[in-house]
Amino acid sequence: MNVELRHLRALVAVVDAGTFTDAAAELDVSQAAVSRSIAALEATLGLRVLERSTRHVALTARGTQVLATARRILDEVAHLQRIAEQSRSELRVGYAWAALGKHTRRLQRAWTGAPMVFVQSNTVTAGLSEGTADVAVVRRALHDPRFATALIGTEGRCAAVATDNPLARHRTVRVSDLARYPVAIDDRTGTTTLDLWDPGPAPATVRATHGVDEWLTLIAAGQAVGITSEATANQNPRPGVAYRTLRHAPRIQVWLAWWRDDPPAGLDELVRLSRDAYGGTDAAS
């Protein structure tokens, strides 16, 4: 069996991006190259992993199993690459939507270790699994036992609406105010779920997005509204988008995460300085 890593990367990219076109852009290859990789994977395995139509791509039942294995293999390969590169002279801090928001520069100024470089990666582990980050800022609990985490602070939530939306005229809004609009949600790395509307009526329409840029583009066009952390509002200003404080919404917990068996140099100091930036907390896991 001659399954190649590029075949597995193509499968993961198509599933995560939703289309062959977007997967090609993410992988920086042609759409034809992505199609050939998927076809080669299916030919090698002797089974169909994707159902295709002009508008829709979906995993087959066997494809779901193949995808899980593909993610696992790519994670392990990335881990090997990270081990090989551990002598690099900078600390890479991954994040999906925002780093530490308004606290980012304070942490950078206080840090005295290797140069701190923030890298964006719209994955569940914000670059840890992929080997692009040594430590990551995450706003969703990581249940993978390979990773350890430390709670560094909490953040408020903001509503994001188009600047010509009537809600933009208010300084604050409620979760219930957003229910009559389509809501943009990234269910892989975002912090918004429909539970926020419980027990009230949930939005009738949810627009699935794949990262902060697509999310902001929908909102600026008036095609959806959104809810996010105050860090996103701080680090992602966008013409046409107004951020407004969300009242009576649960705060978002912010963690640092790292490989449990290979913590980065200066981890204790990094956790301490990050907590200081947020005002201090003692929780860890």
Side-chain angles (χ1 to χ4, degrees), residues 93-94 99-100 107 128 134-144 146-155 252-260 263-264 266-276 278 280-285:
V93 183
L100 273 65
L107 174 62
L128 284 179
D134 305 303
V135 63
V137 180
V138 294
R139 292 174 172 83
R140 293 165 62 121
L142 284 181
H143 301 295
D144 191 323
R146 296 176 300 168
F147 304 112
T149 61
L151 180 65
I152 58 173
T154 64
E155 296 169 341
I252 296 169
Q253 292 184 314
V254 186
W255 291 273
L256 289 183
W258 60 91
W259 284 89
R260 189 179 298 275
L267 175 64
D268 291 344
E269 181 71 357
L270 178 62
V271 171
R272 183 186 68 79
L273 292 174
S274 299
R275 286 174 173 169
D276 286 348
Y278 274 95
T281 181
D282 297 323
S285 65

Side-chain angles (χ1 to χ4, degrees), residues 230-246:
E230 59 184 308
T232 302
N234 180 270
Q235 289 193 217
N236 293 280
R238 175 68 66 94
V241 175
Y243 293 102
R244 296 294 181 260
T245 298
L246 199 64

Side-chain angles (χ1 to χ4, degrees), residues 110-209:
W111 176 249
T112 58
M116 179 180 290
V117 178
F118 285 90
V119 291
Q120 185 172 20
S121 178
N122 192 49
T123 67
V124 173
T125 64
L128 284 179
S129 292
E130 297 71 28
T132 59
D134 305 303
V135 63
V137 180
V138 294
R139 292 174 172 83
R140 293 165 62 121
L142 284 181
H143 301 295
D144 191 323
R146 296 176 300 168
F147 304 112
T149 61
L151 180 65
I152 58 173
T154 64
E155 296 169 341
R157 296 179 191 259
C158 293
V161 300
T163 49
D164 58 358
N165 186 301
L167 294 177
R169 296 196 291 266
H170 301 271
R171 295 182 60 184
T172 65
V173 299
R174 298 167 299 180
V175 173
S176 58
D177 295 331
L178 304 173
R180 63 180 180 270
Y181 300 100
V183 174
I185 293 179
D186 182 338
D187 60 9
R188 277 196 81 221
T189 60
T191 55
T192 301
T193 68
L194 294 180
D195 292 342
L196 287 174
W197 280 267
D198 188 46
T205 303
V206 172
R207 296 290 300 269
T209 60

